[in-house]
Amino acid sequence: MSVRLTVTRSIVGAVTAAVVAGGIGIAVVAPWPTTAREPIGLDVVPEAARSVAACDGPLLVLGRDESAPGAITEAAAAAVVSAADGPAPTETSLATPDRADTGSAPAAFTADPSGGRPTDLAAASASVLDDADLRGLSVSACTRPAMESWLVAGSAATGASDIVLLTNPGDVAATVDLRVYGADGAQDPVAGQSVVVAARTQRAVPLAALRRGEESPVVRVTAAGAPVRASLQSALTRTLIAGGVDQVSAAAPPATTQIIPAVDVTVAPDSGSSAGGMSVRLLATSADTTASVVVRSVADGAVVSQQDDIALTAEHPLELEVTGMPVGDYTVTATAAQPLVASAWTSTDISAPADFAWAVGAPAIDAPTLVTVARAPGPTLTLAAASDATVTLTPLAGGDAQTVELRAGQSRSVTVAAGQTYRVDPGSGVVHGSVGFSAAGQIGTYPVFGSAAAAAELTVYP
């Protein structure tokens, strides 16, 4: 290789290096071109699944047989009503391994999809009895199972004989943990850990076995493997006299606002025979907070009670007495800066054959849903509006529809027929609903749950 060629290549290499280095320097100083792209998403509706509703079943009683004080037996059968807006629902009887008898079994209903969408399914049950150790009216809605539920009701104090019901209507076994909140905070009782609920089975766990003596418990039910329907049967005896019975649905999940659409006060405050107008049970589920409880008349919307700056310690239930309530129906709204759960308790005249009812915070209804009215006396449907709403109430069996106009914060009760099923369409609004029943010495209520057919769209990103 000649010296001239070598020098030439060296010069070219140096020039090239300088150009590259300069380019890199300019690239560092100069802004790079950018491209903003929105993520590509596809809105889809999940494939329609089979609709499921599980029921509480018959009223149960603890220790009626003196030779077996811990035995759980049937006290009264349940009358169940079901309906669907598509294929007729199929009824299945569930196993009850914790019962000492072979009485009637709790029912579960299923309905297959129709036209590519889930079939809307609703059912409800009612039981009534008047025995020396147990009396009153019990009503409940049959509902879908869930992976987490909150039972905001009942007592494990002397005179109470409450039972937690865990119902698995599915084909896969579930394992359930029960956490009980009380005066000393949260506890995980041994009797409530790793409770196996086999497929198509209902388990019954006495509340006293979880936290004996607790007067104002709240129970968190967490399932793994399969969802379960959690509920509570509450029974009370006052000095050997039956004081009432109730089957209580799970309350709406923790939120900063809880709405109890209707609490029925049946006894005047000056009668001397009422147990008190009502009591409200609150639990801050995750953090200390300050709550407000407002009680409004369903009839005219007037505020009859308001308590602000209620200090709530996380995981410690609080029982709030609301006294001096005139006879009537009331909507209770509890708000706080941190999530909470809520319920309200009221009773009939305790100087006569008595009964009581727990009204729990009701979930929001933002799409058409079915509600079945149990076969029980004096039924009414109460709707409480979270936003302005025009609600259409249509009997599923046919008949004239009713239109209910509601402003945000307003409530209204509508007379409905026992044993019938209605479609509740909130239009573009959001409402909370409950079905209540009342007669001499009888009272009961359950919330309206959202439709299984209202499957939300999902946005899927690749």
Side-chain angles (χ1 to χ4, degrees):
M1 179 182 295
S2 66
V3 174
R4 181 179 179 182
L5 180 58
T6 302
V7 172
T8 303
R9 288 179 175 176
S10 299
I11 294 172
V12 173
V15 172
T16 302
V19 171
V20 172
I24 293 175
I26 295 171
V28 170
V29 176
W32 285 78
T34 59
T35 302
R37 299 181 61 185
E38 293 295 329
I40 300 173
L42 178 64
D43 292 334
V44 299
V45 176
E47 182 179 352
R50 182 178 60 177
S51 299
V52 180
C55 305
D56 280 330
L59 281 175
L60 305 177
V61 61
L62 267 168
R64 179 168 280 186
D65 183 353
E66 294 182 358
S67 64
I72 300 174
T73 54
E74 179 178 323
V80 182
V81 182
S82 66
D85 65 356
T90 300
E91 181 176 353
T92 303
S93 295
L94 305 179
T96 55
D98 297 311
R99 282 170 47 183
D101 63 353
T102 56
S104 57
F109 295 89
T110 58
D112 293 328
S114 177
R117 294 191 62 82
T119 296
D120 205 352
L121 169 66
S125 67
S127 303
V128 62
L129 79 168
D130 193 0
D131 295 343
D133 59 342
L134 199 66
R135 74 159 316 277
L137 169 69
S138 177
V139 292
S140 66
C142 306
T143 58
R144 301 188 305 277
M147 300 305 290
E148 180 182 87
S149 304
W150 293 82
L151 303 177
V152 192
S155 173
T158 302
S161 54
D162 293 8
I163 304 171
V164 175
L165 300 176
L166 305 172
T167 306
N168 178 6
D171 300 326
V172 178
T175 302
V176 177
D177 290 333
L178 304 176
R179 171 167 288 185
V180 185
Y181 302 87
D184 298 326
Q187 292 184 9
D188 297 320
V190 174
Q193 302 307 296
S194 300
V195 180
V196 176
V197 187
R200 296 175 293 281
T201 295
Q202 181 185 81
R203 298 294 307 272
V205 181
L207 185 58
L210 302 174
R211 197 150 180 179
R212 183 178 298 276
E214 178 57 49
E215 296 184 355
S216 303
V218 172
V219 182
R220 179 187 179 186
V221 181
T222 306
V228 300
R229 180 188 187 273
S231 60
L232 179 76
Q233 179 183 302
S234 183
L236 179 63
T237 301
R238 297 186 178 97
T239 59
L240 302 180
I241 299 175
V245 65
D246 197 16
Q247 289 173 322
V248 190
S249 302
T256 55
T257 298
Q258 294 289 349
I259 296 177
I260 305 172
V263 182
D264 187 5
V265 175
T266 63
V267 183
D270 58 354
S271 68
S273 58
S274 170
M278 72 171 73
S279 63
V280 177
R281 184 171 297 180
L282 304 172
L283 174 72
T285 57
S286 59
D288 295 354
T289 190
T290 300
S292 173
V293 173
V294 179
V295 181
R296 290 184 174 86
S297 169
V298 172
D300 59 14
V303 175
V304 296
S305 176
Q306 180 167 343
Q307 300 189 42
D308 300 318
D309 300 325
I310 304 167
L312 297 180
T313 302
E315 300 187 340
H316 289 70
L318 175 69
E319 200 85 9
L320 181 69
E321 296 295 334
V322 185
T323 58
M325 300 291 296
V327 171
D329 290 333
Y330 300 93
T331 296
V332 178
T333 302
T335 57
Q338 300 293 330
L340 76 166
V341 291
S343 67
W345 180 92
T346 188
S347 74
T348 63
D349 188 340
I350 64 174
S351 66
D355 196 12
F356 66 85
W358 284 98
V360 300
I365 304 169
D366 57 5
T369 190
L370 295 185
V371 56
T372 293
V373 182
R375 295 191 186 278
T380 58
L381 170 66
T382 301
L383 299 170
S387 63
D388 292 350
T390 299
V391 183
T392 304
L393 185 65
T394 307
L396 193 64
D400 295 335
Q402 300 181 60
T403 300
V404 183
E405 298 282 351
L406 294 169
R407 299 184 305 276
Q410 185 180 20
S411 301
R412 183 176 169 187
S413 291
V414 179
T415 299
V416 288
Q420 298 299 310
T421 299
Y422 297 83
R423 176 177 286 105
V424 180
D425 186 349
S428 59
V430 178
V431 298
H432 301 252
S434 65
V435 183
F437 305 83
S438 181
Q442 297 180 356
I443 189 172
T445 185
Y446 53 80
V448 178
F449 294 88
S451 169
E457 282 191 343
L458 299 178
T459 301
V460 179
Y461 298 97

